[in-house]
Amino acid sequence: MSEFPGPERTRSGRFFDRFTDPIAEMARDKIGQVEDKVRASVQAEIDTVSRAVRAKAVEVRPSALAFAAAALLTVLGVALLLGGAVVGLAHVVWWWLSFLLVGAAVILLAAGLAAWGRHNLPQPARVTPEAPEPGVDEHVHPWAD
C-alpha cells in the first residue's frame, strides 16, 4: 500500500476522526437511501407512463390501421385519376404533351398547398425584455454599487 505525501496526521486529527467517521458513514447511508428512493420513484413513474401509452396504443391500433389503409387507397385512387386524365387528354393532344400537362397541374396544385400550409403556420413567439420599473434599483451583485 502506497501513501501519498502530505501533512502528517496529528494526534488531534485522529481524535476527531472518531467523531466524524460515524457521522460521515451515516450521511453516506442516508444519501444511498435517498438515491434508492428517487431511483425507485422515477422507475415507477416510467412504468406507469409506459403502461398508459401501451393501453392507448392498443385502443388506437384499429383506427390507425384503418387510416393507413385509407391513405394507401387514396394514393392509388389519385394515381388512377391522374392516369385517366393523361389518357383522356391524349385523345386531344400528343400523349407526351398530356403527361406534361397533367404533371405540371399536379406540381402547381402541390406548390399551392405548400404555400397555403406555410402561410398558416403559427408565428414564433417573440420574447421582448421587460423594461425595469422606474425608481427600482437593480443590483447585479450584492456588492456592486
Side-chain angles (χ1 to χ4, degrees), residues 24-113:
E25 187 61 35
M26 286 184 352
R28 277 189 223 103
D29 289 343
K30 291 295 180 184
I31 290 172
Q33 290 173 0
V34 168
E35 285 177 346
D36 292 341
K37 286 182 180 179
V38 168
R39 189 176 295 118
S41 175
V42 168
Q43 188 61 46
E45 191 68 26
I46 290 171
D47 292 343
T48 301
V49 169
S50 66
R51 278 193 304 271
V53 168
R54 280 192 200 114
K56 190 58 110 173
V58 166
E59 184 179 319
V60 173
R61 185 180 296 152
S63 296
L65 291 173
F67 281 125
L72 177 66
L73 290 175
T74 301
V75 168
L76 291 174
V78 168
L80 287 172
L81 285 174
L82 291 174
V86 167
V87 169
L89 199 57
H91 289 297
V92 180
V93 294
W94 293 297
W95 62 270
W96 57 268
L97 185 58
S98 66
F99 274 105
L100 286 177
L101 291 174
V102 171
V106 169
I107 288 173
L108 286 174
L109 179 66
L113 287 174

